Amino acid sequence: MTGINKIPLQTKILGLISALVFFIVILLAGIFAYLESIDTRAQVEQLALQTAKTIALMPELREGIEQKDIDSRFRPIAEQVKDQVNAVDIVIENREEIIYSHVDSTLISQKSMDPANYQTLIFGGSNNFEVARKQGSVLTGKVPVIADYGEYTQIIGTVSVEFLERDIYQSITERIKMIGLASLAVVLLGIIGGVLLAKSIRNDTLGLEPHEIASLYRERNAILLSVKEGIIAIDGKGFITLINHSAKSMLNLDSENLLGQPIKHFLHHIKIDDVLRTEKAVTNAEVPINEKTFIFNIIPIIENGTVAGAVSSFRDKTELKSLMNTITEVREYSDGLRAQTHEYANKLFLLSGLLQLDRHQEALEFIQKESVIHQQQNQVLFNQIHDTHVQAVLLGKISKASEKKILFEIDAESYVDPFPVHIEAADIAIIIGNLLDNAFDAVEHQLEKKVAFSITGVGSEIIIEVTDNGKGISSEALTSLFTLGYSSKGDKRGYGLFNVKRIVESLGGTVEVNNVREGRTIFTVYLPKKREGQQGAKMND
């Protein structure tokens, strides 16, 4: 983790917003202060000219200049005007540039050395300019005093209204202080807003930092890719917010833009809206979709007491079936090995006893008899039956039959090649295993217990036949023999033959049962070596 990632999100947001607000406020305050100073100066220049023009148009001023009596005729008026506009001085001069009125009494009656008088007296122009005074730099507005003599007009003097620049800047500074205070208030409001925004974002992210969210996002994607189950998440309105690759594959959804789409457009078979409305989870619901059956689990997402959405996980039931079949096959192997171990242990105890009693001839005859039986079985089992899964099932059943004292014979004419790939190991274990187990149960209480097994693979079909010498099956029982849950052996039974028929029919085959003389029962299974679609393709070729 880099150093910047260690900084909390709240600190980042607060720092960014504070810096941004501070920069913008300082920039705007500076621009406003600059424009305010320019505007204030322009207003003062305009005020100086307007005041000077107003004074120049007063009849009292013209009379005072002509009669050289400014003090008694005009000074009170000039002082009043100066106070009203906050000017520092009002300077009046005659045509000869003799000063009639000035704040500095020592300059009265003195000749002015102002170079701006030339433009005003000669051309009659009004203008603004800066001059240096003892009290500091001043901004001046100068206009001519014009007397109208009927046939002509004449410039008889000038009026200058002066404003001390220090006073102007002081006024500008006061306004800038107000701007600064307002800017500070805006900065504080920005900081408070940043704190509130950071807290809101922290609440939305459940207190997680950005790097933690990124890590969770990467982990979530990895988990969704690794999970073989289909996963779909929706929001409270039923729109898809998440879907993994397995879900797209199982539901044959090719569209890439599924997020934000209504879930009912793709899964109208199951009422996910009911979960959002009732807030109750759905577990192990079997839903047929696209000629497949899926097991759905839907869990509502409860947030602050309300349903914020739902998460659905589902799996193809055929995969569960394969898993169950594999478990069944492993159990068959385990039972066979256990029976075989028990049988061999009993035979070893018998041999040990015969040898200890010095009955060597009987021990030798027993070994030779077992050897002949073993060789006969191996001859058929390994030289004529070439499918390893059939071999494995029969080996286990041979030991189980021996343990139950059942004469289990494998037809010497049996012969089969390896099964086609569409017939799986679990299918073989269920079909042969259940038929033999039923046969063993049927002869359990007979005095002479016999079960025969035959398998042939000549032609287009594989034929499996199991015969027992039990009591047979009544005509009434024949109609319900393959029904789920039916059994003559008690409750919680009746799944074996149902599974046999279901798998045989799924493979395109048939199963028959017949009663023959002396109470014998024969179960026959016919399995086509090729599926119907494969046969049609072969014919088309």
Side-chain angles (χ1 to χ4, degrees), residues 332-463:
E332 292 287 343
Y333 291 164
S334 176
D335 290 344
L337 291 174
R338 181 188 59 78
Q340 191 177 52
T341 302
H342 189 266
E343 178 194 5
Y344 286 162
N346 289 335
K347 290 178 180 180
L348 288 176
F349 287 137
L350 175 59
L351 285 174
S352 176
L354 291 174
L355 292 174
Q356 290 179 12
L357 295 173
D358 294 327
R359 301 175 70 171
H360 302 96
Q361 184 62 33
E362 292 183 22
L364 181 60
E365 291 175 357
F366 178 77
I367 293 173
Q368 290 174 347
K369 180 180 177 182
E370 290 295 323
S371 176
V372 170
I373 295 174
H374 185 69
Q375 288 177 359
Q376 290 175 348
Q377 290 178 339
N378 287 350
Q379 172 65 28
V380 178
L381 195 60
F382 296 108
N383 295 339
Q384 296 173 216
I385 298 176
H386 298 139
D387 189 274
T388 56
H389 300 113
V390 176
Q391 294 172 355
V393 174
L394 292 177
L395 279 173
K397 297 306 178 184
I398 289 171
S399 300
K400 188 173 183 180
S402 178
E403 182 183 18
K404 292 187 173 185
K405 306 302 180 183
I406 297 172
L407 179 59
F408 180 43
E409 297 178 348
I410 300 176
D411 190 354
E413 301 298 323
S414 295
Y415 181 89
V416 70
D417 290 322
F419 278 26
V421 293
H422 71 276
I423 303 177
E424 300 178 355
D427 299 333
I428 298 171
I430 290 176
I431 294 171
I432 299 178
N434 278 295
L435 290 178
L436 290 176
D437 285 342
N438 270 4
F440 293 164
D441 291 340
V443 302
E444 184 175 1
H445 301 291
Q446 298 296 100
L447 293 177
E448 186 179 9
K449 306 173 184 179
K450 291 184 180 180
V451 174
F453 175 83
S454 172
I455 183 170
T456 58
V458 179
S460 62
E461 290 183 321
I462 298 171
I463 303 174

Side-chain angles (χ1 to χ4, degrees), residues 77-90 103:
I77 297 176
E79 290 295 330
Q80 184 178 1
V81 172
K82 184 181 72 171
D83 293 337
Q84 289 178 348
V85 298
N86 293 322
V88 68
D89 194 10
I90 296 178
V103 70

Side-chain angles (χ1 to χ4, degrees), residues 217-281:
Y217 181 78
R218 288 191 296 267
E219 292 171 0
R220 187 202 71 163
N221 286 343
I223 291 172
L224 290 177
L225 287 174
S226 63
V227 170
K228 299 305 179 183
E229 288 189 349
I231 297 177
I232 299 178
I234 60 173
D235 59 18
K237 296 181 179 179
F239 293 97
I240 298 175
T241 58
L242 180 148
I243 181 168
N244 68 343
H245 179 74
S246 297
K248 292 182 181 179
S249 177
M250 284 190 281
L251 299 177
N252 296 325
L253 300 177
D254 298 328
S255 176
E256 295 293 334
N257 299 319
L258 294 176
L259 299 183
Q261 299 295 321
I263 187 65
K264 60 184 179 181
H265 289 176
F266 308 99
L267 288 178
H268 56 275
H269 310 76
I270 185 169
K271 301 297 184 181
I272 295 184
D273 294 342
D274 293 344
V275 177
L276 299 178
R277 186 178 64 257
T278 62
E279 302 182 9
K280 293 182 179 179

Side-chain angles (χ1 to χ4, degrees), residues 9-10 13 194-209 213 303-304:
L9 177 63
Q10 186 171 357
I13 294 175
V195 172
L196 296 177
L197 176 62
K199 288 184 177 180
S200 176
I201 294 176
R202 289 275 294 180
N203 291 333
D204 292 340
T205 59
L206 303 178
L208 297 175
E209 297 296 334
I213 296 174
E303 185 175 339
N304 298 326

